[in-house]
Amino acid sequence: MELPSLNRDYGSVMLGSVDQTPRQQRIRIQVLLTGAVVTANVIGILIAVGLGAVGIPEPSTLRWDLAYVNFIAVPVYILVALIIGVVFGTASTVKALRWSINDEIPSREDARRSVRAVRRLVWMQGLLWVGGAAVLGLCYGLVDPDLIMKTVFIVLMCATVVVAIARLYTEILLRPVWAQILQAGLGLRGSSVRSRAINSWLIGTGIPLAGITLVLLFGVLRSDTSKTSILISVTVLAAVAACVGLLTEYLFVWSITGPLRSVRDGMATVRTGDVNRAQDIVVYDGSELGELQYGFNAMVSSLREQERMRDLFGRHVGRDVAAAALRRDPQLGGEERVVAVVFVDVIGSTTIAEHRSPTEVVDLLNKFFAVIVEATERNGGLVNKFEGDAVLAIFGAPVDLDNSASSALVAAREISDGLHARVPELSAGVGVSFGSVVAGNVGAVQRFEYTVIGDPVNESARLSELAKDDPRYPVAALRAIDAAAQEEAARWTPWREVTLRGRSEPTPVFVAR
C-alpha cells in the first residue's frame, strides 16, 4: 500500500504534493470538499440549536406544542438540506474540476467553470439556509407567530457563518486546482488578504456583536423579558463569538501562513548560496500572497541565470579574474606586477593531427588541458590562455601569492608528472620564468581580456622549446629559482646556459631533478 505524501507543496500535508496521481487527487478533492461542506453545516446547526434552545430563550421553543416542529420538521429539513448540499453540491463541483482530476492542462473556460463551481457550492449552502429560515419560520409561526422573528434571525445569522466558513475552507482545500490554473498562465482572481481578514472579523466578531445588540434591543422592547434571559442570551452569543472567532481566525491564518512558509523555506535555501538547489515553489494563491510566490520564483530564476553566467564567465577568463571583475568595473590598462609564468607547449602537434580525426585530437587536447588546469589551480595560479595546443599560466596575478615562484615551480613539476601518467600520447615542453610584467585588461572598450605582457612571458615560451629535448623534466630560468623558497629550489639543478632567441646574453637554465 502506497503511503500518503508528506510534502507541503500546497502549504499543508493534507493537500498532498505536486506529484500525486490523478486517483489520489480525485479522492482528496472529493473527501476534502465533502468534509468542508459537512463541517461548515454542522457548525451552523450546532450554533442554531444552541441559540434557539438556550441563547435566546424567549420566546421559548422547548414546548410540547412545538414537538412536531422540533422533532420532525427541523430534522427532516436538516437531513434533506445536507443531502442536497453535500451530494449535489460536491458532485457538480467535482464535475467542473474533471480536467484537474484527469491531470489535463486547463483552458480559460475550464478555469472560469472551476471558479464558478466553487462559488456555486458555497452559495448553495447559503440558499439552503435561507430556505431553512423560510420553512422553519413558517412552521414555528403557525404555532406561535412570535417565534417567526427569532427563528429567521437565528437561521440567517447561522447561514452567514456557514457561507463564510465554507468559503474559507474551499479556498484552502482546492489549492492544487488553483496551482494548475496559475501554472497554465491563466489569471486567478481570488480573495485578497484584506478581504479575508475582514471576512474573518465579520464572522467572528461583527455578526455576534450584531446579535448581542439585537437581543438587548428585543429585551428593551419586550416588557416580559427578564434580566436573566438577557444575561443568558448575551453569554451564549459571547461564547459563540469566541468559538467561531477562533475557528475563522485559524482558517484566516492558515490561508496566509502556507504561502508565506513556502517562500520562507525557499529563501532559506537561497541564503545557503547554492541557488541551483533552490526549487521553484508552487504558486497556488490568487491573492497578493500568490504574487509573492510568483515573485520568489522569478527572483530564483534570475539568480540561477546570473549564477550560470558567472560560472561561464569564470570558465572563460578564470575564476579569479571573474571575481575581480565582478567586484569592480573592469577598465582598460594594467599595473606592474611581479609574477611567475609557466608556458606549456605540445611536441609534434602537426603529426598528431595528421594521424587522428579532429574529434580524437580535441578529446586528447582536453585531457592535456585538464592536467594543466588542475595543477595550476591547485597551486593558486591562473590559466590565462589556451593558444592552440599551448597554455600560458600565471602565478601572482590577479591574486597575490606568498611565493609565486615556488607555486609556479611546483605546478610545473606536477604538470610534467601528470602528463606522463595520464596523457602518455602527448609530450610537452614546460618552461618557467619570473619577473615584472604589466597585468591588466588589453583590447578595446567593446572587447578586452585579462592578460600579462612582459619579458617573463617570452622567456617562459623560449624555455618550453628547450624542455622539448627531454619533456619528462620541466626547465626554469635562474631568476625563478632564486625567488623560490629554499625547499623548492633544492628540487632543481643547474643544466646549462643558453642564449635564447631574441636575446644577446646567455640565460642560466635549471631542470627539475
Side-chain angles (χ1 to χ4, degrees), residues 302-320:
S302 177
L303 289 175
R304 285 199 201 101
E305 183 65 20
Q306 291 181 21
E307 188 65 24
R308 191 177 74 87
M309 295 299 294
R310 188 195 303 266
D311 181 63
L312 290 174
F313 183 36
R315 291 172 186 267
H316 279 284
V317 303
R319 302 194 183 280
D320 294 331

Side-chain angles (χ1 to χ4, degrees), residues 156-179:
L156 290 181
M157 185 171 72
C158 293
T160 309
V161 173
V162 170
V163 169
I165 293 176
R167 180 184 177 189
L168 285 171
Y169 263 130
T170 52
E171 280 192 349
I172 296 172
L173 299 180
L174 290 179
R175 281 173 175 174
V177 176
W178 309 144

Side-chain angles (χ1 to χ4, degrees), residues 275 278 280 295-307:
V275 181
D280 286 347
F296 172 81
N297 288 341
M299 178 195 73
V300 170
S301 177
S302 177
L303 289 175
R304 285 199 201 101
E305 183 65 20
Q306 291 181 21
E307 188 65 24

Side-chain angles (χ1 to χ4, degrees), residues 77 81 120-134 159 163:
Y77 185 84
R120 185 169 58 249
L121 173 66
V122 173
W123 286 113
M124 179 183 292
Q125 312 310 310
L127 290 176
L128 290 172
W129 277 83
V130 171
V163 169

Side-chain angles (χ1 to χ4, degrees), residues 168 171-172 175 196 250-260 284-285 287 289:
L168 285 171
E171 280 192 349
I172 296 172
R175 281 173 175 174
R196 293 178 193 175
Y250 173 77
L251 293 175
F252 167 67
V253 172
W254 188 19
S255 71
I256 65 174
T257 53
L260 292 178
Y284 53 75
D285 197 286
S287 69
L289 298 173

Side-chain angles (χ1 to χ4, degrees), residues 456-473:
V457 177
N458 299 326
E459 185 177 62
S460 64
R462 303 291 184 268
L463 291 174
S464 71
E465 293 293 330
L466 287 178
K468 292 180 180 180
D469 292 345
D470 190 347
R472 295 175 299 170
Y473 306 105

Side-chain angles (χ1 to χ4, degrees), residues 384-403:
N384 183 240
K385 280 185 175 63
F386 294 106
E387 300 177 347
D389 53 9
V391 182
L392 173 66
I394 309 166
F395 295 79
V399 178
D400 292 326
L401 296 175
D402 292 337
N403 192 317

